[in-house]
Amino acid sequence: MIFLTTTAETLTGAVEQVAEQRQWIDGVELRVDLLLESERETAPRFRALVDSLESRRTSHIPLIATIRRETDGGRSNQTDVARLKSLSACAASGFDFVDVESDVAPMLRSGDLGAALIGSGVTPIVSTHDFAGVPEGVTDLVDAAAAVGQNAIVKLAATPNSTADLVRLIRIADDFGARRVEHIVLGMGAFGFPTRVLTHRLGNVLTFASAPGDTAAPGHIDPETLATQYRISEATDDTRYFSVIGNPIGHSRSPEYHNGRFSSDGINAIYLPVLVDDTRDHFALAEAIPLLGFSVTIPHKQAVIPSLAETGEDVRAAGACNTVVRCPGGWKGINTDVLGFLAPLEEVLDRDLSACRVLMIGAGGAARGIAYGLLKAGSEVTVWNRTESRARGLVADLTEFSLPGSIRAVGSVTADATERPDIVINTTSVGMHGSGDPIDWFAFTGDEVVYDIVYTPPETPLIQRAAAAGCRVITGDRMFDAQAAAQYELYRVLATAGLGAASPDQT
Ligand code: ATR
């Protein structure tokens, strides 16, 4: 269930947020502490106001009343007694849940206030916030909730500071599940993001979301993204999980791409972005979720390799792996950047790559996979790099593989007509965010195919200059799409074959 956490300062504003997000949400958490002080006493009217929206619908939308303390990241500085009184008033007006901090929960066990609140039939959410890390044990939390009543839900919002912390948080959710304790376990911040989406897998009663552009808690995303991109309400025990790992990871286009394709193909699978600081810990996470496969982006494309049971020649030649899938002995690494690079080129060319002379600019990580793909296709490759020694190193490394093409490094590019390239490829980062042209000294004849792997923006200065000279151009977004399509095909086969299946054939 997706619950919208309101961020408005007025009750009317909160109702408007509900109306705007209604089609994506299953419930609402009214953050009473975020309302203006003058508005807070009106909180019990929220039920009636939301119901008046609902009159056009048949469902009863569940409501949570939360008055978060300043020490827990909220704005309330009321006493505990005053907050419990306000929560009681909300419960009496028809709220379904009240959020009570675990250290305040014992107050519910005795006295009129506790009796009134519990007696109203409301479900207490006994919450704990840890803004520093992930707690070691959870027995105290379970006891605190059990003392409040059988129907209490334990909520733990912790802050994973690493991939290892995220694994521990998932195990905490599993611990609650094993004890049959109703729970909501969420990781705040960037490392915790997967917990916002893994509602079914973690056994969470619900997940929270904020209206677009209005984050109520670190790591919240908007309800529409949870509902339509991650399809969290459709998750079942049979859902298959995939991910992309990187650091940072927020900018990755892969979740939108793969989730979109799973959705349109009707495949019960979710693809998560995962911030990873240590790839070894990610392999523990991949077992804990469990994942069937994952994509790898900067800076982990080399670091994953030692943990793989199997690697394709593409990974060994490129020295980089962008795709990992389960295989019988563990994990297999593949480099779909190689396929992704070649596919748009083969579409544009009117002859075979084995008949092409290629000038490749750059000799970094991305260049290796590209050079391997070109050599495998039989091309004649000339490498020019700002730092010539690096180009020579790349050539020496690739010469160790018996591939049909040829490769050499040059310190300068001559204007000799017999040396003119058919294809010019930029593998450097120059041009990213419009930062320049890596070969502004090179004059195009208009006969070259010019390929830039930079895709932010797709129309780099190099691409613009080549197009103006009459060249056929290939922009980096086409390589992204082609490598993602090759990855998706691997994931699709795994998702439909099931957990523990052998990895699909891949050359
Ligand atoms: P990636 O994995 O993205 O290829 P990399 O391994 O750091 O990143 O390689 C970056 C490539 O871009 C290298 O070829 C680098 O040239 P050097 O080896 O001389 O560093 C090239 N590059 C980066 N900035 C450049 C610039 N301003 N001008 C020319 N080449 C540049």
Side-chain angles (χ1 to χ4, degrees), residues 298 362-367 385-387 390 427-430 438:
I298 294 165
N385 189 47
R386 178 180 62 177
T387 311
R390 218 174 162 195
T427 72
T428 76
S429 49
V430 182

Side-chain angles (χ1 to χ4, degrees), residues 10 41 53 186 191 213 220 248 298 320 326 417 461 477:
T10 63
E41 283 200 0
L53 285 178
L186 294 169
F191 280 106
H220 270 203
I298 294 165
R326 277 190 190 271
D477 50 349

